[in-house]
Amino acid sequence: MPPKLSKSARQHLILTHLRATGTCHTLKDLEKTLPSVASINGIQVKEYIQALTDENRLRVEKIGSGNWYWSFASDEKHEQERHLARVSAEVEKSRKSCTEMMAALADETARREEEPEDEGKEGVPHTPEGRTSDGRGSELAGFRQDALKWTDNIYVLEEYLRKLAGGDRQMVEEVLRECYGDEYVDGEGLREL
């Protein structure tokens, strides 16, 4: 007995068949052909057609007294381009936020380097341990923690991008290369700082 197909696998078989035909179909035509194509019952055809139409993966147009259904390969390409545009916008937003945080961290670091040493403060020894004891070490640890959090956020967005790209590594690499710019390393992603 062959393994049972999932609903998404059956939908994929339906779309593949429709794209392969390269033409439009009436519901009556689909009710005849799709049961054997997608291993579904004839009464389920309307349900699958409606689901694909609701997800904008199958197009429908009323012509005369009936509806005509189709799905062309170019439709899938346009959908991927829309996904890519959405993901690129999200990545750019995150990149901008990360850039702002890194700039703020650089400004704070530069400001601290310009501050005079703690020699004149009473009760604070002139040692690295003294700086830790006056709260600067814990503040630096906070900055380090923020940097780690933003790095984790970037990795989460990369995984989301991979999910949206549906395994298309080339698309993912192109988006990462575009978003990371000079910070991008081929095959690795974001350059370690």
Side-chain angles (χ1 to χ4, degrees):
M1 184 173 174
K4 186 175 179 180
L5 295 173
S6 67
K7 183 175 181 178
S8 62
R10 289 184 173 138
Q11 287 178 336
H12 180 72
L13 287 171
I14 291 170
L15 291 174
T16 301
H17 170 73
L18 292 175
R19 290 176 184 145
T21 65
T23 189
C24 301
H25 304 272
T26 64
L27 182 59
K28 193 174 190 175
D29 293 339
L30 295 176
E31 288 175 330
K32 290 179 187 174
T33 58
L34 293 184
S36 62
V37 168
S39 300
I40 58 175
N41 191 317
I43 59 174
Q44 292 178 302
V45 170
K46 285 183 182 177
E47 175 188 330
Y48 276 87
I49 296 300
Q50 187 62 50
L52 289 168
T53 302
D54 291 345
E55 295 171 7
N56 292 324
R57 296 171 69 197
L58 180 64
R59 297 184 49 150
V60 61
E61 189 72 41
K62 185 166 182 75
I63 301 173
S65 62
N67 289 333
W68 290 79
Y69 301 88
W70 70 93
S71 178
F72 299 131
S74 62
D75 292 341
E76 182 179 18
K77 181 181 178 192
H78 293 304
E79 183 61 28
Q80 285 181 344
E81 288 171 352
R82 284 191 291 272
H83 275 301
L84 179 60
R86 279 195 300 270
V87 169
S88 294
E90 287 181 27
V91 168
E92 185 58 35
K93 181 180 175 183
S94 296
R95 183 179 182 204
K96 182 180 177 187
S97 178
C98 182
T99 301
E100 290 171 356
M101 288 298 293
M102 291 179 81
L105 178 60
D107 289 346
E108 181 64 19
T109 302
R111 185 187 66 79
R112 288 173 186 252
E113 288 174 355
E114 292 175 3
E115 284 184 355
E117 291 294 326
D118 296 324
E119 291 178 9
K121 287 188 178 179
E122 194 173 302
V124 178
H126 179 63
T127 64
E129 293 82 14
R131 283 194 214 146
T132 302
S133 67
D134 74 357
R136 290 186 180 180
S138 61
E139 195 172 358
L140 184 58
F143 287 134
R144 195 171 282 126
Q145 194 66 28
D146 285 346
L148 290 173
K149 178 182 78 173
W150 286 107
T151 301
D152 286 346
N153 288 344
I154 289 170
Y155 291 145
V156 167
L157 284 173
E158 283 182 9
E159 284 304 312
Y160 181 64
L161 170 64
R162 286 183 183 87
K163 180 180 175 186
L164 288 179
D168 186 343
R169 287 184 177 182
Q170 184 179 359
M171 182 190 312
V172 171
E173 291 295 318
E174 288 174 14
V175 170
L176 293 179
R177 187 176 292 111
E178 181 181 328
C179 291
Y180 294 157
D182 294 339
E183 300 299 319
Y184 179 78
V185 177
D186 284 333
E188 295 180 27
L190 185 60
R191 179 176 62 84
E192 289 290 328
L193 296 177

